[in-house]
Amino acid sequence: MSIDGFLTFLGLILALLALASDATRRRLLLHWRSLALGSVVALPMALYLQLFDALGRPCPAASACGGLILGGEGRLGPGEAGYLVVLGWLVFVVWRVWPRRLGARHLPDLAGLLSALAEEKRFGELCRIAGPELGLVQAVASGKVLRATTEQQASAQVVQRLMHRREDLVRFIALERPRLAVDMMARRHALVFDFADEVLTVLISTPGSQLFAEVADNQGTTGVGYAYPAHNIYLHFLFADAEQAKDLGVWQPVMEAVIDGLREAGGSGYADRLNGAVGRFSEHGRWKDPTFVGIRFLDLMVSAALVQGVRDHMWLFYAPHVLKQLLAIYDESQSGVNPMAETPTRAAWLIQELFSMQLRWIDSVAQLPDGSPHLTLESTRPVSEPANIPKSAILALTDCLEQLLTADHVPERFRRHIAHTVFRSVRGLPADGPRAGFREVLVAALVQPDDHREPYLLALREAVTDFDPGLQDGVLDLRAALDRVFPIWPRRR
């Protein structure tokens, strides 16, 4: 190799570094010890060989030097030897750097680099550098790497806190790096639960986020429940194995954000939008609405746990709380609203969806396979069984129906419409056989007597009286239960 060739080679190396991304260059610098070691040995030797004619000295003991003598017939010349030195240096650097992961000794430098990138808000580079090292960081931070020093463990903890707690970085990860987000949520340590809460809060609070797109896309059913394809990154991670959703408690951040949004709706104009005419909302606008997406998220989650036999109600009792907020803002007085429509407003349409969702969970008892833990009832009394989703859904539904039938500001026509959908569900549940217990629970929950429930029970009796005469025979047990509460059945109007 001539001096020109050597300089050309160095120029190519510098050009490749210039073309590399900042993240790649910064990651290479984390291996500076290996780079320095190879360079300190190889580069002076290569320069010496390039200038051998001027700097070379004869070997003081020719008999001992043997094969080290350069030049002559059948021997390597200085140029060829220089070429081999440079090639060896390149192989050494590649071996030490690519694709080798970092070790515990690199963590202080990694923590410094990531902190600097965070200060500059260069979150894309930060994620590309930190992502592949999450396993190392967790292992060192938790003390599983016994040879790690106190400084290295402290550096790992700095990286963890940065990645999991810095709000603007967490927001970036949630919205722009979903695969990194689920990778981080899959790692169980103390910081991951708050991180998951923040990620899901950001997603449900940002219309157009990945979560909105995935909920809109995730419509494929598998009988009772849904399929969760891998391209729906968040939903696949959380619900393909619903134990993940259970462990992280993902219902809380999503549903609390939905409830807060409805509670603050009056001041933001959101209430006016929900009280407007349905229009194209039921076809297209719903996928941009956080309340509807939250309802669908709850349905996808509970359905996954129901089908997979997860012994937990997955806090489906958020449904009555969502209904409470929808009823608080309910108003059909806006111009353009057709009061005779089945669902005159967007809020009415959402209320109908909320009831339909719970009825699907209850109706699933006719479709669940034998042996499902959700088919086992401890009793047919309307008392809580947290591990049983259909029974929990019955209790939540009863709470919702009581709220609706006693909401005097909601037109009676709409209240009766929703009540009749519940009666149809009663009619469709098995009346005999091993699964008939769920019908008994539903009827008992609907008519359970209590002094404070008198207004509701009166409204329920009127709604049953007004039920389609052609379907009355299918709810005789419900009527009989009401007869026991009200001995004198009102005349049919």
Side-chain angles (χ1 to χ4, degrees):
M1 176 183 284
S2 65
I3 189 65
D4 291 340
F6 178 71
L7 294 176
T8 300
F9 176 82
L10 290 181
L12 287 173
I13 295 296
L14 294 174
L16 289 173
L17 288 174
L19 291 173
S21 65
D22 285 345
T24 300
R25 290 196 296 271
R26 290 176 182 272
R27 192 175 186 281
L28 286 174
L29 289 177
L30 294 174
H31 297 272
W32 66 270
R33 292 179 179 85
S34 295
L35 295 172
L37 175 63
S39 300
V40 164
V41 173
L43 293 182
M45 185 181 298
L47 285 173
Y48 171 77
L49 292 171
Q50 297 305 312
L51 302 173
F52 185 79
D53 291 340
L55 302 178
R57 293 289 184 271
C59 181
S63 60
C65 292
L68 297 179
I69 298 174
L70 298 175
E73 186 176 354
R75 296 180 180 276
L76 288 176
E80 290 83 355
Y83 174 80
L84 291 178
V85 168
V86 170
L87 184 61
W89 170 77
L90 181 60
V91 170
F92 171 79
V93 169
V94 170
W95 173 68
R96 293 295 299 172
V97 174
W98 182 266
R100 185 180 293 257
R101 293 284 181 86
L102 301 181
R105 69 181 184 280
H106 297 107
L107 288 176
D109 292 332
L110 178 65
L113 172 58
L114 296 182
S115 297
L117 290 172
E119 290 174 5
E120 298 170 11
K121 297 189 180 298
R122 301 171 72 171
F123 297 143
E125 295 174 43
L126 187 155
C127 291
R128 282 193 291 273
I129 294 172
E133 313 305 336
L134 291 177
L136 169 68
V137 169
Q138 181 179 351
V140 174
S142 63
K144 293 181 179 179
V145 179
L146 300 180
R147 291 179 295 176
T149 65
T150 302
E151 179 189 12
Q152 291 164 359
Q153 187 172 14
S155 298
Q157 292 167 352
V158 167
V159 173
Q160 277 194 325
R161 288 193 295 271
L162 173 67
M163 297 290 292
H164 291 82
R165 286 185 173 170
R166 178 164 173 144
E167 289 187 10
D168 51 355
L169 176 56
V170 172
R171 181 177 181 82
F172 176 86
I173 292 172
L175 297 176
E176 305 295 339
R177 297 291 186 272
R179 295 192 185 279
L180 177 59
V182 300
D183 186 18
M184 293 172 67
M185 286 192 285
R187 301 175 185 277
R188 294 294 186 264
H189 53 79
L191 300 179
V192 74
F193 300 99
D194 288 342
F195 172 78
D197 284 357
E198 184 64 22
V199 166
L200 290 165
T201 299
V202 167
L203 290 170
I204 193 63
S205 303
T206 309
S209 71
Q210 177 87 6
L211 183 63
F212 280 68
E214 290 187 12
V215 168
D217 180 69
N218 208 110
Q219 302 305 306
T221 59
T222 58
V224 179
Y226 301 87
Y228 306 97
H231 63 263
N232 286 338
I233 299 169
Y234 285 113
L235 298 184
H236 179 77
F237 167 71
L238 294 172
F239 304 148
D241 177 3
E243 290 287 353
Q244 294 276 21
K246 176 186 172 183
D247 291 345
L248 292 172
V250 298
W251 48 79
Q252 182 173 2
V254 173
M255 301 315 297
E256 290 290 345
V258 169
I259 291 169
D260 288 344
L262 288 170
R263 188 179 292 123
E264 300 165 2
S268 65
Y270 183 42
D272 291 337
R273 293 196 297 277
L274 290 184
N275 288 323
V278 175
R280 293 173 59 82
F281 179 79
S282 61
E283 299 175 9
H284 304 291
R286 56 181 173 161
W287 300 116
K288 298 179 182 178
D289 181 79
T291 302
F292 175 71
V293 170
I295 292 171
R296 290 291 299 135
F297 182 91
L298 187 63
D299 187 22
L300 292 168
M301 176 182 65
V302 174
S303 297
L306 183 62
V307 172
Q308 296 169 27
V310 176
R311 296 174 180 270
D312 194 275
H313 56 49
M314 307 299 281
W315 281 95
L316 58 82
F317 290 101
Y318 268 107
H321 295 285
V322 173
L323 178 65
K324 180 180 179 180
Q325 298 304 321
L326 285 169
L327 291 176
I329 63 172
Y330 193 92
D331 182 6
E332 292 185 11
S333 64
Q334 282 192 29
S335 61
V337 171
N338 178 9
M340 301 307 296
E342 189 174 82
T343 52
T345 66
R346 296 175 178 183
W349 190 87
L350 289 171
I351 290 172
Q352 179 175 266
E353 285 295 303
L354 198 63
F355 275 87
S356 297
M357 172 184 69
Q358 296 172 87
L359 291 172
R360 284 195 296 273
W361 300 335
I362 297 169
D363 295 343
S364 70
V365 299
Q367 301 173 311
L368 288 173
D370 293 336
S372 169
H374 296 293
L375 293 176
T376 302
L377 286 171
E378 296 176 8
S379 78
T380 56
R381 293 184 298 114
V383 294
S384 176
E385 292 183 28
N388 190 297
I389 286 176
K391 187 172 184 179
S392 298
I394 287 172
L395 301 181
L397 176 78
T398 304
D399 187 343
C400 288
L401 188 61
E402 182 172 348
Q403 287 187 56
L404 181 64
L405 290 182
T406 55
D408 295 335
H409 66 290
V410 177
E412 185 177 40
R413 170 200 44 74
F414 178 66
R415 286 184 282 162
R416 293 278 178 90
H417 162 65
I418 296 298
H420 291 173
T421 65
V422 175
F423 302 154
R424 290 188 182 91
S425 183
V426 173
R427 184 173 181 271
L429 287 174
D432 50 44
R435 306 187 187 195
F438 289 95
R439 180 168 177 146
E440 294 179 40
V441 174
L442 179 54
V443 171
L446 288 172
V447 301
Q448 186 176 23
D450 194 294
D451 289 343
H452 81 275
R453 299 187 88 200
E454 184 176 353
Y456 155 71
L457 290 169
L458 288 168
L460 181 67
R461 182 178 66 171
E462 291 298 315
V464 171
T465 303
D466 193 47
F467 190 42
D468 187 342
L471 303 178
Q472 286 277 350
D473 289 345
V475 293
L476 292 178
D477 50 348
L478 177 59
R479 290 193 56 166
L482 281 167
D483 279 343
R484 289 191 291 272
V485 176
F486 299 98
I488 300 176
W489 189 262
R491 292 182 179 179
R492 189 182 304 280
R493 292 178 293 179

